[in-house]
Amino acid sequence: MALWSAPGASQQQLMKSDRSMMGMSDDNMMMKQILATHTPDGREVEVKPVFQLIEDILNRATLQVSSGDNAVQAQMEMEDKTQQASFIDMIEAISFAIDRISCEIAYKALGGTDAHQTTVSLFNMLAAYSWDAKLVLTLAAFAINYGEFWLLAQIYSTNPLAKSMAILKQVPSILEHAGNLKSRFDALNSLIKVMMDVTRCIIEFKDLPSLYITQDVPAFTTAFSLIPTAVYWTIRSVVACATQITTLTSMGHEFALSASEGWELSTLAHKLKTIYEHLRKQMAVCYQHIDERKSLEAYQMLLNLFETVHIDNMKVLKALIYAKDDLQPLVDGSTKKRVNIDVLRRKNVLLLISDLNISHDELSILEQIYNESRQHASRLVNPYEVVWIPVVDRSIPWDETMQNRFESIQSQMPWYTVHHPTLIEKAAIRFTKEVWHFRNKPILVVLDPQGKVVSPNAIHMMWIWGSNAFPFTSLREEALWKDETWRLELLIDGIDPELLKWIKEGKYIFLYGGDDVEWVRKFTTAARTVSNSARIPLEMVYVGKSSKREQVRRVLAAIMVEKLSYYWEDLTMVWFFWTRLESMLFSKIQLGRADDMDPMMQEIKKLISYDRDGGWALLSKGSQIVVNGHGTTVLPALLEYDMWKDHVLTKGFDKSLKDHHDKLYSIAHPCCRFEFSTHGGRIPESMKCPECQRVMDKFTTFCCCHDDNIPATHY
């Protein structure tokens, strides 16, 4: 009887002691006291499934029960786990400890024991357990009592046994005054939530893989040293919550939450929240470290894979695209259905690597070449498969705009594509950038049926020779260049059949470009005047400029209105002309032959250089190229026709124009300039001038091409 007559005085004593619950003058002394109780004997408690049970109890033991797919999934996992014999055995082993903790908390709460002393007694009781086990066992004891209270509250009206028990615990009376007690339960729920957050974080910390993180990592050491403090304050909070429930069921609803008790709960919640935020911050750093170590390991594995001989390409492709077997990582472009990587087994595979800014022009020409190769009558089986590897910046959050852009590009591709960019691991992205030199411009890496790289970037071959470059190896690239000559077909093949017709007819053909409308007018007028005077069949075609698309459109408009010459109305043809031309240079750079004393390569470099500054023109007679010059020399050569026209009868038109142009060129010596975007992949360390063969000076410039919306850094 004395036990039940004392709670009023005992509660007052508890209130007094609780006013100083955080008032220990030296936190270090307090933690030394706690650490002194810690004498683990190596016994293991599988805390995760126990914590899942606790979560389920505490989620349901409130006025608002958790719901949703995640809760259902967790419930299913928990039910599966609790059916396992090992789990049942483990519960039997810890049940006694849980009951002791529950009794200790209830007895000390009713006896008015100081909260800190109650907490210390629990630590002494749990001395042999690890820190996470101490915490989970204490929470389990609290969950049983708290859950019992709310179980009775939820079923007493329909269950006679529960009704009798509920009356003894004053549950009906408490629920009748639930409105008055709302602040108490709100404070409890807030504290319980942060208690669970801290516990979950500590369990996570224990599960960090030791293979990838050790105590020499500062964040790990910081978090590790904070765990005893976190466990102390969480168990201290369990004591506070249990005291509230015990007081409520023993003294009834009339005992309202005092100011000191409200301060206790809110202060504990604030204290634990601060600890939790600090733990989560350190955990984030730990996860980043683990991710970096895993990525490094995966990257090294990729390096090793590509140095190893394989019987097929599966290991290599899985490492690059998606290593697991739990889903189909590819989409078949022809059927738009998901497929496995096995469809690529022992095939020549072209990996089209790009970001989401791959242009319509690039896609259009690639699709044309791809479809032509599929329709080639002499090939009974497809010679190669293309797979799009979309590379995105993981630091930028994936949003609806990016998803729509990705789906738009994917829908246009007739070949295989990776189902989603997030399937591609960071290590694979790093490999494409560091080994294959991918930046922002698309590259086409070729793997043979055994997964060996036979070309680090065949896109230049693809642009220049199309499917004729099959099997797209570096050896094939070398062979194609050996068979190539400096002729007009090299520059315009596959772009416009009309020009090929002119070549067969043996006509004189002027290709010209630039973005200066006045220069275009003067050049076309002078060229037509000379052709009429010399009575030669001349055709002219404007091929635009490699950049400044809007200015090219204005020039095209003038040419069309004034009927100055033939032109390509489709700007994709203009883009493809310049892309092929630049690909010739990049192909030679990739082969290490950019500075070879090859007359053909020198002329290609001149043409690319002329495009960077002003107008230019190239004259051919049929297939044979006669003059390749800058606007500052070609236009004057035409305007000065009267100075060399008398030589036409003896030397011929071709030779006469060339000789006069060369004379002007020897005086003018226009500058040569090349620009290589840092987004374009491989950049040569140096380059020789095609005019004088000296090593060119290297500058860094910054250029913003507004009409292309692609800011770039140039060299």
Side-chain angles (χ1 to χ4, degrees), residues 352-353 362 366 441-446 455-464 579 583 590:
L352 175 60
I353 302 170
E362 290 165 325
L366 278 173
K441 296 292 185 181
I443 63 173
L444 202 62
V445 179
V446 184
S455 175
N457 188 8
I459 202 160
H460 309 307
M461 270 190 280
M462 185 76 86
W463 294 144
I464 301 167
T579 297
S583 291
Q590 187 166 284

Side-chain angles (χ1 to χ4, degrees), residues 94 107 117 229 244 308 322 413 436 438 483 533 541 555 585 629 670 706:
I94 62 175
Y107 175 76
Q117 292 304 320
T229 303
Q244 290 297 318
T308 306
Y322 188 71
M413 294 181 168
W436 291 338
F438 169 71
D483 294 338
S533 298
V541 56
V555 175
L585 176 57
H706 297 283

Side-chain angles (χ1 to χ4, degrees), residues 42-146:
R43 69 182 72 182
E44 289 291 330
V45 176
E46 196 175 350
V47 296
K48 265 189 173 180
V50 179
F51 184 68
Q52 284 182 335
L53 285 172
I54 295 168
E55 277 191 303
D56 187 63
I57 293 169
L58 295 181
N59 283 338
R60 295 176 186 278
T62 59
L63 294 174
Q64 296 180 339
V65 179
S66 297
S67 62
D69 292 340
N70 292 337
V72 172
Q73 179 66 25
Q75 177 70 14
M76 292 173 62
E77 291 176 358
M78 182 186 66
E79 289 174 356
D80 290 342
K81 189 70 178 178
T82 54
Q83 298 306 312
Q84 296 178 12
S86 60
F87 178 74
I88 295 171
D89 291 341
M90 193 262 296
I91 289 295
E92 289 178 358
I94 62 175
S95 292
F96 179 70
I98 293 173
D99 286 342
R100 282 191 65 199
I101 295 166
S102 180
C103 293
E104 181 76 6
I105 292 175
Y107 175 76
K108 293 288 177 65
L110 290 171
T113 305
D114 174 77
H116 170 68
Q117 292 304 320
T118 301
T119 305
V120 172
S121 71
L122 294 177
F123 273 98
N124 285 322
M125 190 183 298
L126 297 167
Y129 293 93
S130 61
W131 292 108
D132 57 329
K134 296 180 202 288
L135 186 50
V136 169
L137 291 175
T138 306
L139 273 172
F142 170 70
I144 290 173
N145 290 331
Y146 194 61

Side-chain angles (χ1 to χ4, degrees), residues 314-334:
M314 285 296 95
K315 282 187 178 180
V316 166
L317 290 174
K318 285 185 176 182
L320 282 171
I321 297 172
Y322 188 71
K324 301 176 185 177
D325 295 321
D326 58 341
L327 54 79
Q328 296 174 309
L330 298 179
V331 175
D332 186 334
S334 59

Side-chain angles (χ1 to χ4, degrees), residues 636-648:
L638 293 174
L639 293 174
E640 294 173 1
Y641 174 65
D642 289 340
M643 296 174 64
W644 52 272
K645 66 180 180 180
D646 294 337
H647 301 294
V648 173

Side-chain angles (χ1 to χ4, degrees), residues 41-311:
D41 60 6
R43 69 182 72 182
E44 289 291 330
V45 176
E46 196 175 350
V47 296
K48 265 189 173 180
V50 179
F51 184 68
Q52 284 182 335
L53 285 172
I54 295 168
E55 277 191 303
D56 187 63
I57 293 169
L58 295 181
N59 283 338
R60 295 176 186 278
T62 59
L63 294 174
Q64 296 180 339
V65 179
S66 297
S67 62
D69 292 340
N70 292 337
V72 172
Q73 179 66 25
Q75 177 70 14
M76 292 173 62
E77 291 176 358
M78 182 186 66
E79 289 174 356
D80 290 342
K81 189 70 178 178
T82 54
Q83 298 306 312
Q84 296 178 12
S86 60
F87 178 74
I88 295 171
D89 291 341
M90 193 262 296
I91 289 295
E92 289 178 358
I94 62 175
S95 292
F96 179 70
I98 293 173
D99 286 342
R100 282 191 65 199
I101 295 166
S102 180
C103 293
E104 181 76 6
I105 292 175
Y107 175 76
K108 293 288 177 65
L110 290 171
T113 305
D114 174 77
H116 170 68
Q117 292 304 320
T118 301
T119 305
V120 172
S121 71
L122 294 177
F123 273 98
N124 285 322
M125 190 183 298
L126 297 167
Y129 293 93
S130 61
W131 292 108
D132 57 329
K134 296 180 202 288
L135 186 50
V136 169
L137 291 175
T138 306
L139 273 172
F142 170 70
I144 290 173
N145 290 331
Y146 194 61
E148 180 188 21
F149 174 83
W150 282 109
L151 177 63
L152 293 175
Q154 291 171 13
I155 68 171
Y156 82 95
S157 61
T158 58
N159 187 298
L161 175 60
K163 183 176 181 180
S164 298
M165 292 179 64
I167 291 171
L168 288 176
K169 285 186 170 289
Q170 306 187 65
V171 172
S173 176
I174 291 170
L175 292 182
E176 284 178 13
H177 298 84
N180 296 332
L181 297 172
K182 185 177 183 302
S183 61
R184 177 177 296 198
F185 285 115
D186 286 345
L188 282 171
N189 288 340
S190 296
L191 182 53
I192 290 169
K193 180 183 181 303
V194 71
M195 283 159 46
M196 297 298 285
D197 288 340
V198 172
T199 306
R200 194 179 298 107
C201 192
I202 290 172
I203 293 172
E204 270 186 61
F205 182 81
K206 185 181 179 182
D207 284 343
L208 292 178
S210 58
L211 181 63
Y212 300 107
I213 191 164
T214 55
Q215 292 192 18
D216 59 346
V217 178
F220 182 92
T221 304
T222 301
F224 186 81
S225 63
L226 185 61
I227 283 177
T229 303
V231 172
Y232 169 80
W233 285 109
T234 307
I235 292 179
R236 174 67 186 82
S237 298
V238 169
V239 171
C241 292
T243 299
Q244 290 297 318
I245 294 299
T246 301
T247 302
L248 193 62
T249 55
S250 62
M251 299 183 65
H253 67 87
E254 295 90 351
F255 186 81
L257 183 67
S258 69
S260 62
E261 290 172 314
W263 174 80
E264 174 192 14
L265 296 180
S266 62
T267 304
L268 281 170
H270 177 74
K271 178 84 173 179
L272 275 185
K273 186 177 180 182
T274 301
I275 292 172
Y276 171 71
E277 288 173 351
H278 190 46
L279 273 175
R280 280 254 64 100
K281 182 179 178 182
Q282 300 307 314
M283 286 288 287
V285 178
C286 288
Y287 280 128
Q288 182 180 354
H289 177 84
I290 292 167
D291 188 47
E292 289 171 357
R293 288 288 302 274
K294 285 183 175 180
S295 292
L296 180 62
E297 182 181 76
Y299 177 74
Q300 190 60 50
M301 183 196 70
L302 275 171
L303 291 175
N304 295 337
L305 273 177
F306 279 96
E307 293 174 356
T308 306
V309 178
H310 304 281
I311 58 172

Side-chain angles (χ1 to χ4, degrees), residues 424-443:
I424 302 168
E425 296 291 341
K426 290 180 181 178
I429 294 174
R430 179 185 173 188
F431 188 86
T432 64
K433 292 182 177 181
E434 295 189 10
V435 178
W436 291 338
H437 303 284
F438 169 71
R439 297 296 179 268
N440 295 82
K441 296 292 185 181
I443 63 173

Side-chain angles (χ1 to χ4, degrees), residues 356-542:
L356 300 186
N357 292 318
I358 186 170
S359 70
H360 170 74
D361 294 334
E362 290 165 325
L363 281 177
S364 176
I365 300 299
L366 278 173
E367 182 179 359
Q368 179 183 328
I369 295 170
Y370 177 82
N371 290 335
E372 285 175 359
S373 73
R374 288 297 189 262
Q375 296 167 3
H376 203 289
S378 65
R379 291 170 180 158
L380 298 178
V381 293
N382 292 333
Y384 60 85
E385 298 292 351
V386 178
V387 181
W388 180 40
I389 309 290
V391 174
V392 298
D393 186 348
R394 294 289 184 87
S395 65
I396 300 175
W398 188 262
D399 58 21
E400 186 177 353
T401 301
M402 296 172 72
Q403 180 65 26
N404 292 338
R405 174 64 179 162
F406 167 73
E407 291 175 357
S408 173
I409 296 171
Q410 189 180 48
S411 66
Q412 299 174 54
M413 294 181 168
W415 45 77
Y416 293 109
T417 64
V418 173
H419 172 63
H420 199 273
T422 53
L423 295 181
I424 302 168
E425 296 291 341
K426 290 180 181 178
I429 294 174
R430 179 185 173 188
F431 188 86
T432 64
K433 292 182 177 181
E434 295 189 10
V435 178
W436 291 338
H437 303 284
F438 169 71
R439 297 296 179 268
N440 295 82
K441 296 292 185 181
I443 63 173
L444 202 62
V445 179
V446 184
L447 307 180
D448 71 7
Q450 287 72 46
K452 179 184 177 183
V453 176
V454 291
S455 175
N457 188 8
I459 202 160
H460 309 307
M461 270 190 280
M462 185 76 86
W463 294 144
I464 301 167
W465 296 290
S467 58
N468 289 331
F470 179 81
F472 305 106
T473 65
S474 297
L475 290 175
R476 176 62 175 161
E477 193 171 13
E478 291 266 19
L480 287 167
W481 274 121
K482 285 180 181 178
D483 294 338
E484 201 58 78
T485 57
W486 178 234
R487 57 198 175 95
L488 192 58
E489 289 92 335
L490 175 64
L491 302 180
I492 53 88
D493 190 29
I495 300 178
D496 189 349
E498 185 69 19
L499 271 68
L500 296 177
K501 176 186 171 186
W502 295 343
I503 291 172
K504 288 181 180 179
E505 293 172 354
K507 289 185 176 182
Y508 285 92
I509 304 168
F510 254 130
L511 298 186
Y512 72 98
D515 58 356
D516 186 340
V517 176
E518 285 305 313
W519 185 89
V520 168
R521 289 192 180 105
K522 290 177 182 178
F523 169 76
T524 52
T525 301
R528 206 165 298 285
T529 299
V530 169
S531 68
N532 290 335
S533 298
R535 297 181 181 180
I536 59 170
L538 176 69
E539 300 289 350
M540 291 181 286
V541 56
Y542 175 68

